[in-house]
Amino acid sequence: MSRARLSSEDVETMLQGLDGWSLSADGLAITRSFKFTGFARAIGFMTECALHAEKIDHHPEWSNVYRTVEVKLTTHSSKGLTSLDFDLASFMDKAAAHH
């Protein structure tokens, strides 16, 4: 995965391949809110995603309140979105489907 900043056209194309993600107002991040049936499922999701994030050395900005996990993805070193953000978003979508 590359840490090269994506063009706005590439971001729009890649965003179309994701479910429920939105581009931030400044165009530098993508965001999504995940809702689970309870706290344990939300934390299970976060744990699974944390292990993947560590593996690819790309970490989300996120928060949890009971059954809701709010996620913001951006690549700070590139000052915008990279393929790493879309890889992690795709992984999160798959992880959420079974939690």
Side-chain angles (χ1 to χ4, degrees):
M1 291 289 125
S2 172
R3 291 190 188 273
R5 187 172 172 176
L6 297 170
S7 69
S8 56
E9 294 82 16
D10 287 340
V11 167
E12 287 298 328
T13 299
M14 294 178 85
L15 193 55
Q16 291 175 7
L18 297 176
D19 182 34
W21 290 86
S22 300
L23 188 62
S24 63
D26 62 9
L28 301 178
I30 53 175
T31 62
R32 181 170 175 193
S33 179
F34 292 92
K35 296 207 184 295
F36 301 92
T37 58
F39 180 71
R41 290 194 184 269
I43 295 302
F45 163 78
M46 292 180 82
T47 300
E48 183 176 349
C49 293
L51 293 171
H52 181 72
E54 192 67 13
K55 179 180 174 184
I56 66 170
D57 191 29
H58 190 63
H59 305 90
E61 294 178 30
W62 57 5
S63 64
N64 164 253
V65 176
Y66 182 52
R67 66 184 194 106
T68 303
V69 178
E70 300 287 342
V71 180
K72 176 181 175 184
L73 300 177
T74 190
T75 304
H76 295 284
S77 62
S78 299
K79 297 182 173 76
L81 290 160
T82 68
S83 60
L84 285 166
D85 299 301
F86 288 93
D87 174 70
L88 187 52
S90 178
F91 182 91
M92 289 179 158
D93 286 345
K94 291 175 188 145
H98 66 264
H99 279 280

